[in-house]
Amino acid sequence: MPVWVKVAIDAWTGPTGVVDGYVFRAVNRGDKVQGVALSEKVVWQMLRPYAKATGVDALAPHDLRRTAAKLSRAAGGELEQIQLLLGHASVQTTERYLGTKQDLVHAPNDGIKLRVAV
C-alpha cells in the first residue's frame, strides 16, 4: 500500500474510532453509523455524479473493480495477488475476468537464461 494511502486512511479512521472492519460505513442524518459497510447501491449513487461530470453516463462500481484489476495486472501485479484482491476462489476465474490470453510471442519462459554444460 502506498504511504499516501495509509496516511489518508489513518486520517479518516482516527477521528471515527474505526480500528477494524470496513473503513467506509453508512452514516445517517444524525451522524450515527448504520451497518458495517457501504452497499454497492450506495457506492453507485456516490459514483454517478462524478461519472456524469466526466461524460461517462453508463459507469457502474463493477466497471471500476474490473478496471482496477486490469490496471494492476498491466502494472505487473501477480495474478494470485489480483485473485485475492477480487476475492475469487479460483485463479482461473481471475484469468477469465481479466481476459488473460497466452502470449506466444513474449512467453514468460523466454526470459529464463539456461546454459547446458557439455
Side-chain angles (χ1 to χ4, degrees):
M1 170 184 316
V3 173
W4 68 268
V5 173
K6 177 71 169 118
V7 169
I9 290 173
D10 288 347
W12 173 264
T13 57
T16 63
V18 173
V19 293
D20 63 357
Y22 293 96
V23 175
F24 301 108
R25 303 169 187 200
V27 177
N28 66 18
R29 291 182 181 148
D31 288 335
K32 301 290 183 210
V33 175
Q34 288 187 268
V36 294
L38 297 177
S39 70
E40 182 178 325
K41 182 179 178 181
V42 170
V43 172
W44 185 73
Q45 288 171 342
M46 291 169 45
L47 173 67
R48 197 173 359 179
Y50 295 103
K52 285 187 179 187
T54 62
V56 180
D57 291 329
L59 186 67
H62 195 81
D63 296 323
L64 297 180
R65 171 183 159 90
R66 184 173 37 259
T67 300
K70 287 186 175 191
L71 289 174
S72 296
R73 185 65 172 155
E78 294 180 23
L79 194 57
E80 293 80 7
Q81 292 300 311
I82 297 169
Q83 173 192 356
L84 293 171
L85 172 73
L86 297 173
H88 291 159
S90 164
V91 73
Q92 286 83 10
T93 302
T94 307
E95 288 175 328
R96 283 193 305 274
Y97 190 86
L98 293 172
T100 303
K101 295 185 178 24
Q102 188 174 13
D103 183 355
L104 297 175
V105 175
H106 303 99
N109 56 320
D110 288 346
I112 300 173
K113 307 292 187 217
L114 294 178
R115 294 181 181 216
V116 178
V118 185

